[in-house]
Amino acid sequence: MITPWPFLDSLVLQVLDLSDPFSTEVKPRILLMGLRRSGKSSIQKVVFHKMSPSETLFLESTNKICREDVSNSSFVNFQIWDFPGQIDFFDPTFDYEMIFRGTGALIFVIDSQDDYMEALARLHLTVTRAYKVNTDINFEVFIHKVDGLSDDHKIETQRDIHQRANDDLADAGLEKIHLSFYLTSIYDHSIFEAFSKVVQKLIPQLPTLENLLNIFISNSGIEKAFLFDVVSKIYIATDSTPVDMQTYELCCDMIDVVIDISCIYGLKEDGAGAPYDKESTAIIKLNNTTVLYLKEVTKFLALVCFVREESFERKGLIDYNFHCFRKAIHEVFEVRMKMVKSRKAQSRLRKKKGATPNGTPRVLL
């Protein structure tokens, strides 16, 4: 049954846990690590700089730590630190505690087409060092360059790396450390899907976003919905139904088509305007009675839906429900901003009074 959403305020109260601690004003940090020539810089350039995979062949090897801010939307705000493969964690000049202390996720890239025994040893060293400093880090392993492997070889390689890495941790008495493994390549959408799952773990509002999407699709007759960051094509949230790789690829292709056509026909003669704005919308009808529907949520976020043709006949109802959904997303962001401002004000007040949060006087040196 397709119905309009109930009154918006009651909806937001249902899905928005105001006691949920939002992220601090410090951006979470994602570290890209691995041996030399494993593909770390190529991943960063393809995902966040729209570089074509063929151009990455001419990238020079990274010889210093490269830091970059990613601030594409209300929810996708973090730093990417690209580490050269030759960094020695035992070097006393390397302050690994400072780096790991503020890290949200550590991505270790392994070249699947190379002998990965040395990479596994470096992975173990890196993970154990990082975990001692910060037990809250998400450890992600990208088994990279799998485009050159057969399907059977991919599965076998992933199984072998998974087994060896976890055995090394078990031998060191660190079974509590959880490693997530992904098969990736810059020549297809697998790298974008893997990065989507990494980034989602750093979004404290993720359960709220997923609940909003679940309510939206159940009241609109929609089969699947994604909330995309348009710039990077990372999906920051989706509903609770399983994600199919082909569905995700169609969404990415649709975003590319919308942006490309808007760049050609959507700008004014003098080049003014933006290819993606509040008027951006697109409808693509597939030959299997499915409709792809894209709507702008914020200047960096887009909602992409899969709808059956018979359900899309009620487009007016879908648009009304989308208006409620869009308003709720903005309210989530506004609450987050209010809490961040409140924290900043409280922090300034505590510094002014020279006291810690529990009221104990701070010793000023």
Side-chain angles (χ1 to χ4, degrees), residues 96-224:
Y96 67 88
E97 289 192 6
M98 180 276 293
I99 292 173
F100 291 143
R101 198 176 297 122
T103 296
L106 191 157
I107 299 174
F108 196 92
V109 183
I110 296 177
D111 185 348
S112 65
Q113 299 185 29
D114 199 2
D115 181 14
Y116 45 77
M117 292 305 158
E118 183 183 354
L120 284 171
R122 178 65 68 87
L123 169 66
H124 181 75
L125 172 64
T126 304
V127 167
T128 52
R129 283 291 183 94
Y131 187 77
K132 287 178 181 177
V133 177
N134 183 357
T135 57
D136 295 326
I137 294 179
N138 298 318
F139 295 106
E140 321 285 352
V141 181
F142 284 8
I143 304 170
H144 198 46
K145 303 182 183 180
V146 296
D147 49 277
L149 307 180
S150 65
D151 290 342
D152 290 341
H153 197 179
K154 288 179 187 177
I155 296 171
E156 178 59 29
T157 300
Q158 183 177 19
R159 187 203 61 78
D160 189 43
I161 290 176
H162 182 281
Q163 184 71 43
R164 290 177 184 273
N166 283 306
D167 285 349
D168 288 343
L169 291 175
D171 292 341
L174 296 171
E175 297 94 339
K176 63 181 73 174
I177 297 179
H178 176 70
L179 304 177
S180 299
F181 296 86
Y182 308 88
L183 293 171
T184 60
S185 169
I186 58 174
Y187 291 95
D188 57 30
H189 292 88
S190 59
I191 189 61
F192 294 96
E193 186 180 24
F195 236 106
S196 296
K197 292 177 179 177
V198 171
V199 170
Q200 285 169 23
K201 295 177 184 179
L202 303 180
I203 300 175
Q205 302 91 346
L206 182 63
T208 299
L209 300 178
E210 289 179 345
N211 284 336
L212 285 170
L213 285 166
N214 283 333
I215 295 172
F216 172 65
I217 68 169
S218 64
N219 286 282
S220 306
I222 290 172
E223 295 194 345
K224 186 68 182 171

Side-chain angles (χ1 to χ4, degrees), residues 2 220-224 284-293 305-315 318:
I2 303 175
S220 306
I222 290 172
E223 295 194 345
K224 186 68 182 171
I284 297 179
K285 293 187 177 181
L286 306 180
N287 58 6
N288 60 354
T289 71
T290 300
V291 177
L292 280 176
Y293 191 31
C305 307
F306 282 75
V307 196
R308 289 290 174 190
E309 281 188 357
E310 55 268 24
S311 299
F312 197 68
E313 291 175 0
R314 303 181 183 91
K315 181 175 176 294
I318 293 174

Side-chain angles (χ1 to χ4, degrees), residues 75 209 212 227 297-298 325-333:
F75 303 100
L209 300 178
L212 285 170
L227 192 60
V297 178
T298 71
F325 170 81
R326 188 174 185 270
K327 189 174 180 182
I329 290 290
H330 282 272
E331 287 199 12
V332 171
F333 177 56

Side-chain angles (χ1 to χ4, degrees), residues 63-110:
N63 54 21
K64 63 179 181 180
I65 298 176
C66 298
R67 184 170 60 183
E68 179 181 0
D69 279 349
V70 178
S71 304
N72 290 340
S73 73
S74 315
F75 303 100
V76 184
N77 289 286
F78 52 87
Q79 290 181 335
I80 294 271
W81 289 32
D82 184 5
F83 282 76
Q86 63 270 20
I87 277 198
D88 181 11
F89 290 97
F90 293 106
D91 189 336
T93 62
F94 182 74
D95 188 3
Y96 67 88
E97 289 192 6
M98 180 276 293
I99 292 173
F100 291 143
R101 198 176 297 122
T103 296
L106 191 157
I107 299 174
F108 196 92
V109 183
I110 296 177

Side-chain angles (χ1 to χ4, degrees), residues 305-354:
C305 307
F306 282 75
V307 196
R308 289 290 174 190
E309 281 188 357
E310 55 268 24
S311 299
F312 197 68
E313 291 175 0
R314 303 181 183 91
K315 181 175 176 294
L317 180 60
I318 293 174
D319 287 343
Y320 172 78
N321 285 342
F322 169 77
H323 173 74
C324 296
F325 170 81
R326 188 174 185 270
K327 189 174 180 182
I329 290 290
H330 282 272
E331 287 199 12
V332 171
F333 177 56
E334 287 170 7
V335 171
R336 174 185 179 274
M337 292 304 296
K338 286 178 182 177
M339 294 190 71
V340 169
K341 288 178 180 178
S342 175
R343 282 185 180 175
K344 287 182 179 179
Q346 291 175 2
S347 178
R348 285 195 297 267
L349 186 61
R350 286 197 298 267
K351 288 179 181 178
K352 191 174 181 180
K353 290 182 177 181

